[in-house]
Amino acid sequence: MTTTLKKMGALVFASAVSFSLLSGNAMANGAIGDHVNNLHAHIGEYTEEVHWLESKFGSVVDAYEAKDKNLKTDVLMEYWEEVDFHSAIETQYVPIYATIWQGIYGVKMAIDNGKPVADVRVEQEKLNHALWQALGAVKLASQYQKKGLIDQVKTTEVEPTTGPEVIDDIKTRLDRVVAKYAEQLHEVATTLVHDTYLQRFEGVEGDLIAKDAALVEDLEKDFNVTLPQAISQDEGVDAVRHVVEAMQVKLDKARKLLVEAEKGRKDVF
Amino acid sequence: MQRRTFLQGLAAATALGSLPLGVANALSPMASVSVESLPKLEGDLTLYLGRGEGGLYENVLQAIEKRNPKLNLKIRRGGSAALANTIVAEKKAGVKRADLFWAVDTGSIGMVTDAGAAKPLPTDLTTQLKEGFQYPSWSPVTGRVRTLPYNTQRVSPEQIPDSVMALADSDLKLGWAPAYSSFQSFVTAMRLLEGEKATRAWLKGVNRNAKKYAGELGVVMGVERGEVDVGFANHYYTLRLKSGKPDANVALAYTKNDAGCLVNASGIVALSDGDLPVNFIRYLLTHEVQSYLAREAYEIPLVQDVAQPEGLESLSTLTPPAMDLRNLADLRPTLNLMRDVGVL
C-alpha cells in the first residue's frame, strides 16, 4: 500500500465510522441496499463501473474534439447517476464524492464554455483520477466493513448523543455541504449548513462558550456568514472546501474542549 | 437592572400566570426529594427525547440507567416538535410506541396534552414543583426566562424600556433571531397576550431597526461585540458567555409583566399508565438532577429547595405574564404572521 493510500485509509476509516452515525436519509441519490452494506461482494462490479465511466466520459471529450454538433454535456451527469458505485462512494467517503462531482462539472463547464480540447483533457484527467481514488477508498472501506469495524449504513436517523459525537457529526455534515455544492445543489448545501448550525452546533456551543468564547464566535461567523457566502457567491468547489477545512480544524479544537469539559463534570448522582 | 439580580422570587412571580386555575390552591408545595429515597426502576420504557443541551440530558439518562440496571430504557431522539407530531400521529393511528416524552419546550408538550395522549400525574409528584409550575398532566423539568441582553458600554439600564412593546418604537439598535424556536414561542406569547394586530405592528417596528442572527447565542455575542445595543434571548446564553468571558460587555435587563419576560420550561409527559413512567419522572425532579442541570446547563430548577444556577442572584422584581404555557403550542398562526410581515 502506498503512503497516500495509507493516509486515505485512515481518512476512510474515520469518515466511515463517523458516517455510521449519520442518517441514511441524507442521501440525495441512489438506493441504499446490499451494494453499500456489503461492499466486498461488489468490488468487481464497482471496478467495472469505473472502467465504464472512464470510457463514457472519454467518449464525451472525444466527441467534443471531433466537433460533434449533437454533443450534450448533461450526459456526463447521467452516466454518473446510473452506476451503483455512486452510492458506494457517497456513503463511504464523501470528500472524494465531492471531488468526482467537481471533476464532472470541470469537464462540463470546459466544454460548455468552448475551452481548447487540451484544457478539457486536463479536467478529464482530474476526473479520472478522482474515480480511481474513490475506488481505492471503497476497497479499503470494504475491508473494514468485512472485519465488522464499520456498521452497515443506517437508513433511519441516529442522533449523536455526546458533545464530541456532535462535533464528529458536524464535520461529516460539512463534508456533505461540499459534496452537495459540487453537485450544483446550492440550495441543498445552504440548507444543510443552516440545519447543521441549528440542530447540531447550537446544542454544543453553550458548553463551548464557557471554555473558549473566541472559538465559538469564530465558528458562529463561519456557519452564519463565511460558509453561506462562499456558497452564494459561487466561487467554486475549492473555495467552499477551503472554508469547510478551516472550520473542521476549529471543530477539532472544539472537540478537545468538549472532551475536557466532560471529564471535568461531576456525576449526576 | 443588574444581571445577577433577576431571579429572586421566581417561584412567586411565575405562580400567577402559568398555573391552571383551581389547581394552585389545592396543592401545597413540598421539598425536593433525593434520589436515595426513590424506588428502583425495573422494566421496559421507551422515551421520546427532544434535543437538549449538548450531552447533558444524555448524561442524566445514563446516570438513571446506571443506577437502575433492571431498567431497559429505549430512547428515540429528534426535534421536540417533530416527536410531538409523531406521538399525536401515532395516537390517531391507534399505536403507542412511547411511554414518556421529554421535550425541550412547552409548546411541544401542549401538542401532546391537547391530543389527550398524556396520563395524569399524582399530586405528590406535582407538588414537588414550585408554585406556578404544577400541572396535572405534565411536569416541567427546568425553566428559562426571556431576557434583554444589552451592551453595557453602549446603553445604560435606564435607557431600556420595561415594556417589550415599547422596544418597537425605541431608538435602540436591536438584535433578534426570528427563525429561532424560543423567539417564536415568545412571539406566540405576545400574540396571545397582546393580540395579532399589536404583534404585527411590533414585528414591523422592530424589523425596521433590528439586525438578524441565526440563533440566540449569536444575538448575545452580537450584543457583546457592540453590533447592537439590546437583544432578545433566553437567559442562559448570557450567563454562559459571562462564564467563559467574565469581562464581557453584556448584562441582562427584563421587561415587566409581558411576553418579554416569559418563563418557558422543558417538560415531560407520561404516555403510559402505571408506576414506572411516573417514577422515572420522579428521578428528573430529584434534588440531584435539578442541581446538575442548574450547575452544568444554567437551567432554572423548578422543584423546591434547589439552588439557582451559579452566577444568578434572585430578585423579586421578575414578573412573567399570566398564561398557560401549553398555549405556546399554537405556533402556526405565529409563523404565518411572521412570514406575512416579512421577518421569516
Side-chain angles (χ1 to χ4, degrees), chain A residues 17-36:
Chain A
V17 169
S18 62
F19 190 83
S20 69
L21 300 166
L22 188 68
S23 63
N25 60 9
M27 304 302 137
N29 303 293
I32 304 302
D34 182 65
H35 67 284
V36 287

Side-chain angles (χ1 to χ4, degrees), chain A residues 14-165:
Chain A
S15 174
V17 169
S18 62
F19 190 83
S20 69
L21 300 166
L22 188 68
S23 63
N25 60 9
M27 304 302 137
N29 303 293
I32 304 302
D34 182 65
H35 67 284
V36 287
N37 286 327
N38 185 10
L39 292 168
H40 189 72
H42 297 269
I43 290 298
E45 177 193 329
Y46 298 148
T47 308
E48 265 182 34
E49 286 182 340
V50 169
H51 280 292
W52 181 78
L53 285 168
E54 199 177 37
S55 116
K56 285 295 185 185
F57 292 150
S59 69
V60 172
V61 181
D62 290 344
Y64 178 65
E65 189 170 24
K67 303 189 191 309
D68 182 347
K69 287 194 168 40
N70 295 319
L71 173 63
K72 288 190 171 52
T73 51
D74 284 350
V75 75
L76 289 163
M77 278 89 88
E78 289 167 19
Y79 292 143
W80 174 235
E81 299 279 1
E82 202 170 312
V83 295
D84 281 347
F85 182 57
H86 182 165
S87 336
I89 190 62
E90 185 178 10
T91 54
Q92 298 306 319
Y93 197 32
V94 80
I96 298 184
Y97 175 85
T99 306
I100 291 172
W101 275 105
Q102 187 177 7
I104 290 170
Y105 275 98
V107 173
K108 177 177 163 52
M109 297 313 291
I111 294 175
D112 290 349
N113 293 330
K115 292 278 177 71
V117 71
D119 292 358
V120 179
R121 291 285 181 202
V122 169
E123 297 299 330
Q124 184 195 353
E125 188 57 34
K126 285 185 203 166
L127 174 55
N128 287 343
H129 180 73
L131 287 172
W132 288 107
Q133 193 183 16
L135 184 63
V138 170
K139 281 182 176 174
L140 201 58
S142 80
Q143 293 299 317
Y144 286 120
Q145 194 180 57
K146 197 179 172 191
K147 291 175 187 169
L149 294 174
I150 54 174
D151 291 335
Q152 286 195 339
V153 176
K154 301 286 193 301
T155 53
T156 54
E157 183 88 14
V158 177
E159 295 269 330
T161 58
T162 66
E165 282 178 9

Side-chain angles (χ1 to χ4, degrees), chain B residues 81 84-85 105-115 184-185 188-189 191-192 264 323-335:
Chain B
N85 281 324
D105 70 272
T106 315
S108 300
I109 296 284
M111 290 168 68
V112 171
T113 56
D114 288 351
Q184 292 168 358
S185 287
T188 302
R191 188 175 55 75
L192 296 173
N264 205 334
M323 68 179 305
D324 184 332
L325 295 175
R326 289 175 303 167
N327 292 335
L328 300 177
D330 192 20
L331 190 61
R332 190 161 297 281
T334 303
L335 297 178

Side-chain angles (χ1 to χ4, degrees), chain A residues 159 161-162 197-200 202-207 209-210 213 216-217 220 224 262 265-269, chain B residues 35 51 53-56 58-59 63-64 77 180 214-215 217-218 221 225 237 240-241 243-244 288-289 292 296:
Chain A
E159 295 269 330
T161 58
T162 66
Y197 172 76
L198 282 180
Q199 295 172 12
R200 294 290 186 264
E202 215 274 330
V204 295
E205 65 182 353
D207 265 354
I209 199 165
V216 173
E217 191 160 340
E220 275 270 333
N224 293 303
E262 207 55 46
R265 229 185 276 291
K266 288 181 183 167
D267 288 342
V268 180
F269 300 128
Chain B
V35 70
R51 285 190 193 93
E53 285 300 310
L56 294 177
E58 299 286 346
N59 290 358
I64 293 173
R77 300 170 177 86
Y180 201 65
L217 180 59
M221 295 178 91
R225 287 193 299 268
Y237 294 111
R240 284 175 155 172
L241 177 59
S243 167
E288 291 87 349
V289 169
Y292 180 82
E296 303 292 343

Side-chain angles (χ1 to χ4, degrees), chain B residues 75-89:
Chain B
I75 303 170
R76 177 173 176 179
R77 300 170 177 86
S80 288
L83 291 173
N85 281 324
T86 303
I87 290 165
V88 172

